[in-house]
Amino acid sequence: MCGVVGLFLKDKALEPQLGALLTDMLVTMTGRGPDSAGIAVYRGADDGQVKLTVQSANPDVDFAGLADTLGASVTRCDTHAIISCAAEEADAVRTRIAAIPALRLMSTGDAIEIYKEVGLPAKVAERFDIPSLGGTHGIGHTRMATESAVTTLGAHPFSTGPDQCLVHNGALSNHNSLRRDLEDEGVEVMSACDTEAAAAFLTWKMQQGANLGEALEASLDALDGCYTFVVGTKEGFAVLRDPVACKPAVLAETDQYVALGSEFRALANLPGIDDARIWEPEPATVYVWERQA
């Protein structure tokens, strides 16, 4: 099971509604995964600023005085905090975060923010006030755990590179060997979840010079299992199903957006859906949409 959703906006007029539209899509998929939920949203950052999303199980303690400790701006949102700093200071701030074991770094980038926790999608969205968030695009996941424990760290999306994230419906049979291969290449995979290994593989390929589509093409040979992937980057949005395509997925495209859901129900309340082009993604076929930077 598990439910995946994604929304890539073409029409700027819809950007203030991104969080609300994604929340509705994800809540509709609750029956596919009641264990945990998460959403990644891409929101414009200040020029020259980098955003780092961190999570704490004890935020009242761990976020107190955090701005002074890190030498950066800190905006708390429930168990998460968005840390903003100048790009040239990001490595130093990241090092200071790593020195605080209670903090879990969820994402780094110019535009990405990730919010995820254990619980039903509606409750998770409420905790982080996701419906109020605007942005250009986003992806979401509601999880039925099969490969690792029901924890915040095991929830999706997984981000393993700047402004990159992945959600996944399915299971990978070779994620342990893939994790070992990536670690030999110097790529860190923090959790036991198969999805993080897949995200790290895409990051590694893009670090080698592949674009998003090429990285996904390479994953068809490297990853064994059944899957529907939805990937976000700073400017892009992509979908891939495995060669058998046993995990459900439905795409819809209009002049205003591209949307993905595990089932059509996730798309049913989107504006203009009655006039959308709607189709089932083909097996082993990479679909990529990107806007110009």
Side-chain angles (χ1 to χ4, degrees):
M1 292 290 278
C2 295
V4 293
V5 298
L7 184 60
F8 180 80
L9 299 179
K10 304 176 184 178
D11 185 352
K12 284 185 171 294
L14 288 179
E15 291 182 3
Q17 302 178 50
L18 177 72
L21 294 170
L22 269 174
T23 297
D24 181 80
M25 294 171 71
L26 191 62
V27 170
T28 305
M29 292 292 95
T30 298
R32 298 189 62 84
D35 296 331
S36 56
I39 279 179
V41 294
Y42 289 83
R43 311 173 72 199
D46 295 334
D47 289 342
Q49 294 284 299
V50 170
K51 295 192 287 189
L52 304 96
T53 307
V54 298
Q55 186 268 356
S56 167
N58 194 6
D60 289 340
V61 173
D62 297 327
F63 293 164
L66 187 60
D68 291 337
T69 301
L70 299 180
S73 172
V74 175
T75 302
R76 180 179 170 181
C77 184
D78 198 79
T79 58
H80 290 39
I82 306 300
I83 297 163
S84 300
C85 65
E88 58 270 23
E89 297 173 357
D91 287 344
V93 172
R94 197 178 292 110
T95 299
R96 294 175 196 136
I97 291 172
I100 306 173
L103 297 186
R104 298 164 176 169
L105 183 61
M106 298 292 187
S107 65
T108 303
D110 296 341
I112 190 173
E113 298 174 13
I114 285 182
Y115 301 93
K116 59 182 184 180
E117 276 293 359
V118 172
L120 296 171
K123 294 294 185 183
V124 173
E126 181 181 1
R127 289 179 68 169
F128 300 115
D129 197 17
I130 299 296
S132 72
L133 300 180
T136 54
H137 55 298
I139 66 177
H141 186 271
T142 181
R143 184 179 187 223
M144 180 175 288
T146 56
E147 293 289 334
S148 57
V150 180
T151 64
T152 301
L153 196 59
H156 302 209
F158 283 96
S159 180
T160 53
D163 282 315
Q164 175 203 337
C165 66
L166 169 71
V167 295
H168 164 214
N169 174 28
L172 302 178
S173 59
N174 66 332
H175 65 97
N176 287 323
S177 61
L178 177 65
R179 185 179 292 103
R180 288 192 294 272
D181 291 343
L182 290 169
E183 288 172 350
D184 288 343
E185 297 291 339
V187 180
E188 184 179 20
V189 182
M190 299 181 64
S191 77
C193 185
D194 56 346
T195 310
E196 186 179 17
F201 175 81
L202 297 179
T203 298
W204 177 61
K205 293 301 292 185
M206 286 192 276
Q207 287 173 344
Q208 292 183 314
N211 60 34
L212 175 57
E214 291 167 342
L216 284 165
E217 288 281 358
S219 73
L220 287 167
D221 292 328
L223 307 182
D224 292 330
C226 54
Y227 52 84
T228 293
F229 289 154
V230 187
V231 183
T233 64
K234 182 178 179 180
E235 306 295 343
F237 172 78
V239 173
L240 173 65
R241 301 172 81 196
D242 68 82
V244 177
C246 61
K247 295 299 179 184
V250 179
L251 275 164
E253 184 168 15
T254 72
D255 291 338
Q256 291 184 294
Y257 58 79
V258 178
L260 179 286
S262 291
E263 301 174 31
F264 176 76
R265 291 185 295 124
L267 316 177
N269 295 327
L270 290 172
I273 192 66
D274 290 343
D275 298 320
R277 176 193 174 219
I278 297 170
W279 76 103
E280 181 179 355
E282 295 290 336
T285 301
V286 175
Y287 297 84
V288 178
W289 291 264
E290 291 185 298
R291 59 173 51 83
Q292 297 300 314

